[in-house]
Amino acid sequence: MTDTEHRIVTLGTAGGPRWWTPIDAHSRFGISTAVAVGDRVYLVDAGLGAGRQFTRAGFRMDQLAGVFLTHLHSDHTTDLANLALFGMFGLSGEGAPIPIIGPGDRGELPPVSPRATVPPRPVAPHLPTPGTADLFRLLMEAQATDLNDRVLDALRPSPTDLFDARDIAIPAGIGYHPNDAPTPDMDPFTVFEDDRVRVDAILVQHPPIAPAFAFRFTTDEGSVAISGDTAPCANTVRLAADVDLLLHEAISFEWVAEAYGSRDDETSRASIDHHRKSHTSVEEAIALAQEAGARRLALHHLVPGHLPTDAWLRAAAGADLEVLVPDDLDRISFARERALAA
């Protein structure tokens, strides 16, 4: 394989559960990254438009070898149902099911914000924190009318047979607790391996959600790490040690201050609290990449998603390593002898 066959494609580079306006031909889709190794494709996160962007990138569903979810916030999972419901028309049902690998059940609800005047009522108290396996099962059950038409009448294979949704088992003995210790110091551990790639995971810091993971894809030709959503975190440095390409989230805290700083309602204040404890600035992402010894850094999961690329590049000016701010559908090689494809 050549270096152009070891590449990521930025299917969507915007973060956050919202439509960033104005919406035009250059607007960023929701977060989703394709890791391509030869003709095989591994998808990390399935944000808004992931299925459409997967197709626009020239990939076919029969090339998909796995889906990896960093965490279960809606801006990372909202197109998972579409991948299964529409993708079933590009799959024959022959061969092993495609794994969908992501966090398991949180185990207990997060604590209520100290800014709450009245404790909010949780959604679905009978199953308030479903993991990846339950998430996929519930999504397919919600579409049973559609699916049973297609399975029984049109003889299409069922997504429940085409995909195998699995929860990541957190290693025992590391001191993990979803509320008290969601990001203990730990070593990366393997969650998937085939004849092309090994995928390692590590817990990262994105409170209140837990567990939240970063992933590293290692091949014979190179490696790429994807941070998921996280504040600056020692575990990310461990995962990304000497990686050929690090994709890391970035937020503009200036935008956070402009969006919420002039408001005095508790929801706005809680939003500021969340962003500051759960996300990473451009400068922090650069420092983390340098500490890890990453060869290159690409910023994605950009919040706000409508901030011009030039503004992100200005924030990265002066870095001691190469920093990219890719647009949607850009291709970036992660082979050690790499070239940036247009």
Side-chain angles (χ1 to χ4, degrees):
M1 296 181 192
T2 66
D3 59 357
T4 57
E5 292 179 303
H6 289 74
R7 65 200 184 281
I8 63 96
V9 182
T10 50
L11 304 183
T13 52
R18 62 172 75 194
W19 298 283
W20 297 104
T21 55
I23 296 175
D24 57 31
H26 304 289
S27 296
R28 297 178 184 273
F29 277 80
I31 189 68
S32 186
T33 305
V35 179
V37 183
D39 60 356
R40 201 173 296 172
V41 185
Y42 308 85
L43 189 66
V44 180
D45 289 326
L48 179 67
R52 176 183 173 182
Q53 295 292 86
F54 184 89
T55 303
R56 291 181 72 193
F59 298 128
R60 304 183 314 273
M61 284 299 295
D62 62 6
Q63 294 177 270
L64 184 62
V67 179
F68 299 84
L69 302 177
T70 59
H71 64 291
L72 301 184
H73 273 157
S74 58
D75 56 319
H76 293 249
T77 63
T78 191
D79 225 35
L80 183 62
N82 288 336
L83 280 168
L85 296 170
F86 298 173
M88 65 188 285
F89 292 92
L91 295 169
S92 66
E94 300 175 359
I98 298 167
I100 300 172
I101 297 172
D105 192 316
R106 191 182 200 282
E108 59 184 87
L109 285 165
V112 174
S113 168
R115 297 187 181 276
T117 54
V118 176
R121 184 172 61 184
V123 175
H126 61 286
L127 185 60
T129 57
T132 298
D134 278 336
L135 170 67
F136 186 74
R137 174 182 60 81
L138 292 166
L139 288 172
M140 295 304 99
E141 287 181 3
Q143 296 289 344
T145 295
D146 171 270
L147 289 174
N148 286 328
D149 274 3
R150 304 188 193 285
V151 169
L152 300 179
D153 177 66
L155 302 182
R156 294 285 180 180
S158 169
T160 58
D161 296 325
L162 296 172
F163 296 89
D164 175 21
R166 312 172 190 170
D167 294 343
I168 294 173
I170 296 173
I174 63 170
Y176 168 80
H177 184 278
N179 290 338
D180 299 336
T183 319
D185 290 343
M186 63 182 297
D187 294 323
F189 63 102
T190 300
V191 296
F192 175 85
E193 190 167 11
D194 64 12
D195 61 340
R196 298 281 181 91
V197 67
R198 186 185 78 243
V199 183
D200 294 321
I202 205 164
L203 290 164
V204 293
Q205 186 174 329
H206 190 48
I209 204 162
F213 294 104
F215 295 118
R216 177 174 178 146
F217 291 74
T218 302
T219 75
D220 291 340
E221 304 295 331
S223 55
V224 56
I226 299 175
S227 72
D229 285 15
T230 181
C233 178
N235 279 352
T236 311
V237 175
R238 293 185 183 93
L239 183 80
D242 299 320
V243 76
D244 294 292
L245 175 66
L246 171 62
L247 275 72
H248 203 287
E249 68 127 85
I251 193 171
S252 167
F253 287 119
E254 291 80 6
W255 170 81
V256 173
E258 292 172 2
Y260 300 105
S262 63
R263 306 177 189 178
D264 58 5
D265 62 283
E266 294 304 328
T267 297
S268 295
R269 291 175 178 174
S271 295
I272 294 173
D273 295 342
H274 168 74
H275 288 309
R276 291 204 172 276
K277 70 185 178 183
S278 302
H279 291 288
T280 302
S281 70
V282 172
E283 296 81 3
E284 289 169 331
I286 291 170
L288 186 146
Q290 291 172 326
E291 183 179 357
R295 291 174 177 81
R296 287 195 298 168
L297 170 66
L299 302 174
H300 72 164
H301 192 275
L302 301 174
V303 175
H306 55 43
L307 193 67
T309 299
D310 287 349
W312 297 107
L313 290 171
R314 284 195 299 271
D320 290 335
L321 80 165
E322 185 179 5
V323 180
L324 307 172
V325 182
D327 293 321
D328 288 3
L329 298 180
D330 277 358
R331 288 164 164 76
I332 307 172
S333 172
F334 61 88
R336 293 185 188 93
E337 300 297 329
R338 90 295 184 273
L340 177 62

